[in-house]
Structures are given as C-alpha cells and as structure tokens.
Amino acid sequence: MKNGIQGIRLRRATGAAVTTGAVIASGFLYAAPAQAAAAPSIVAKGGFVMNDANGKSLYTKAADTRRSTGSTTKIMTAKVVLAQKNLNLDAKVTIQMAYSDYIVSKNASSARLIVGDKVTVRQLLYGLMLPSGCDAAYALADKFGTGSTRSARVKSFIGKMNAEAKKLGLKNTHFDSFDGIGNGQNYSTPRDLTKIASSAMKNSTFRTIVKTKKYTAKTTTKTGSTRTMAPWTNTNTLLSNYSGTIGVKTGSGSTSKYCLVFAATRNGKTVIGTVLTSSSAAQRETDAKKLLGYGFSKV
C-alpha cells in the first residue's frame, strides 16, 4: 500500500514538473525549450524589420507590396547628395523664390527657408531630414542635378535617385519626386526602404543628422549679416520615446498616410525597419516600437 501511494506521489510530482516547463528523465531535470515570442500585430498596412548587421529578415507584413512613401523618400534624397564626388558640405546655396512658391502651392512641410539667404549644404540636409523641409529638398535637387534649367536639374536629380535604387538592386522602388510629393509614380516597399536606410546609415554625416533631435542653422542674408533660424525639431519622436533610437525618417501624406523608417541599437545590436500606411503619427510610433521590441528579441 505504501509503495502504491509513493508511486502516485511520484507521478503527481512528475506531472507538476512537466506543466511548469521542466521534464524529469533518467533522474535528470531538463528545461523545456521556451516558446518564441509571437509576431506582433500592427495597424500599418506594411512592415519590415531586419538585423542591420547581416540583413536577416526578422519580421514581414506585406513587405514587398508597393506603396506611396511620403517624406521617407527624403532618405534617398540625402543619400544621393552625400554620394556626390568631392562634396563640400559647407558650400552655400542661395534660396530661390521657386522653392518658396513650391511649398506654398503644395501645402508642403517646410524648413522655413528665407528667399535670398545663403544656406550651406550641411544645413540644407538638416532642414531636409529634421523638419522634413520640401523647400530644402528642392534646393538640394536644384544644386546637385545637372542641366541648364531648373526643371532639367530636378529631373536629373530624380534620375540619380532611381539610379541609386537600381544600384542597390531594388526592384519595387521608383521615384518621381525629390521629396515624396509625387505624381503617382513615387513608391517603394517596407523591405526596399529599409535597405535604402541601412545603406544611407553607413555615411557618418547621415547618421549624425538623423539622430539629432534639434538643430539651429545660422544662415547668411542678402546683406551679408547672419540670420539665426528658428530651431528645427526632428519629426521622429522615437528619438525621445524609445531608448537606443538612432534614426531615421518620418513620412506622411494623403496617399501614404503615416510612415516611419526606424533604427535602434541596444547591446551592440542594431535593428532597422519600416512601417508604411499606418493610421496616425501616434500609431506609426506604436507600430515601430512593437517591431523594434520584437526585432531585438530575435537578434
């Protein structure tokens, strides 16, 4: 009778051990393998995350579906500028009325550049990436495109953006604008945008710019005096709201809705990704945080 009770107790003890995540076998205790974290649900229609060190995919949701990209397009704008041979970041560009007229006609995001001011290329890059200035984007396209007319130079610059996408082997990306305000042929995918950003982040100037929360430019006026611009604040709120964030760019628009290309580094590991077509600025951040957390759990 005593042996029977002991057998029941042993079976109960063994059962309890199994239900709490361990297995008793041959007198040894083995830990059961932990279940992998479930992939998060995001509101954005498309999403992609990868390990920046090796390009390994960590999360996908319609990762290769072409969508409008909004101002995340400006990542490529900056990349093309920074790829110019013998680039002088301190070269000055005079702000033209055409840039001002453009942002008014498009009701576009602006760096509030003043017509006639001389602004350095470096400052224009900050104006492009922090407040998402379409006037800064226009100035850069005009400066670094080639041609005898402004329209020719802009067309040339957009051609350089597409050439860069082709060089990166991207088959689902096409640009028809320098800022994301396209004519129906400005598109990319979460996977492609992430690859563009990963490549851009290899440039130290780009990295410095996109992790900057606030920047104050001092420009030169028509009369040669110095103008201190109102500070530009980075539209990427993850820089303040997610520890380890190092970039990279927001985007929004009537077609693109709310987009975010994001990157963060923790414990020496970098996760980079994109969400496209989320429902609000707050939601794109929530989506990105979920994907970053999930990404870090898998690297």
Side-chain angles (χ1 to χ4, degrees):
M1 184 66 180
K2 192 176 287 185
N3 288 341
I5 292 171
Q6 284 176 341
I8 291 167
R9 283 176 180 163
L10 180 59
R11 283 195 296 275
R12 282 178 179 167
T14 304
V18 170
T19 58
T20 55
V23 178
I24 294 174
S26 305
F28 293 98
L29 189 66
Y30 293 95
Q35 284 189 328
S41 172
I42 59 172
V43 171
K45 289 185 179 178
F48 179 76
V49 176
M50 73 180 192
N51 180 341
D52 193 47
N54 55 22
K56 182 184 176 184
S57 171
L58 303 173
Y59 173 94
T60 63
K61 176 183 178 180
D64 300 306
T65 300
R66 296 174 178 181
R67 300 186 188 279
S68 177
T69 57
S71 285
T72 60
T73 298
K74 290 168 180 155
I75 296 170
M76 183 61 96
T77 308
K79 180 171 167 54
V80 167
V81 170
L82 290 165
Q84 298 302 301
K85 288 181 180 177
N86 304 314
L87 177 65
N88 178 7
L89 289 168
D90 297 317
K92 292 185 177 179
V93 177
T94 301
I95 304 305
Q96 306 294 320
M97 180 61 78
Y99 313 156
S100 180
D101 289 344
Y102 174 79
I103 59 169
V104 171
S105 68
K106 300 291 186 181
N107 191 27
S109 53
S110 166
R112 303 181 302 279
L113 299 171
I114 309 295
V115 175
D117 277 11
K118 289 182 173 60
V119 185
T120 68
V121 172
R122 188 192 313 275
Q123 290 167 339
L124 286 172
L125 287 166
Y126 275 95
L128 174 78
M129 299 305 285
L130 271 64
S132 201
C134 295
D135 45 357
Y138 197 165
L140 289 165
D142 193 8
K143 166 74 174 173
F144 292 103
T146 55
S148 57
T149 65
R150 183 171 291 120
S151 61
R153 290 190 293 274
V154 166
K155 185 178 180 180
S156 162
F157 186 86
I158 295 168
K160 290 182 181 184
M161 294 169 69
N162 285 312
E164 191 65 29
K166 190 173 181 180
K167 193 191 297 183
L168 289 172
L170 309 180
K171 304 199 182 300
N172 292 306
T173 295
H174 184 267
F175 300 105
D176 70 353
S177 75
F178 48 73
D179 58 2
I181 304 176
N183 300 301
Q185 289 300 308
N186 205 91
Y187 58 80
S188 189
T189 67
R191 190 189 306 270
D192 280 8
L193 268 175
T194 302
K195 289 180 178 180
I196 292 168
S198 178
S199 177
M201 290 290 275
K202 290 179 170 60
N203 181 283
S204 60
T205 299
F206 184 89
R207 287 198 307 274
T208 298
I209 291 169
V210 297
K211 72 179 180 183
T212 301
K213 294 180 185 178
K214 195 167 283 192
Y215 180 86
T216 301
K218 293 190 176 184
T219 63
T220 304
T221 68
K222 285 180 185 177
T223 60
S225 62
T226 299
R227 185 195 309 279
T228 302
M229 299 287 288
W232 291 324
T233 300
N234 201 319
T235 55
N236 183 7
T237 51
L238 276 180
L239 290 166
S240 297
N241 299 338
Y242 191 87
S243 175
T245 298
I246 55 173
V248 298
K249 185 75 184 74
T250 61
S252 61
S254 57
T255 304
S256 63
K257 303 304 179 188
Y258 294 86
C259 312
L260 181 57
V261 182
F262 51 86
T265 298
R266 288 184 174 180
N267 300 318
K269 294 178 180 178
T270 298
V271 167
I272 188 165
T274 299
V275 290
L276 293 181
T277 325
S278 196
S279 58
S280 68
Q283 187 60 54
R284 73 184 169 196
E285 181 180 303
T286 299
D287 288 345
K289 285 178 176 175
K290 284 182 179 180
L291 296 191
L292 281 166
Y294 181 68
F296 280 119
S297 77
K298 296 189 73 177
V299 292

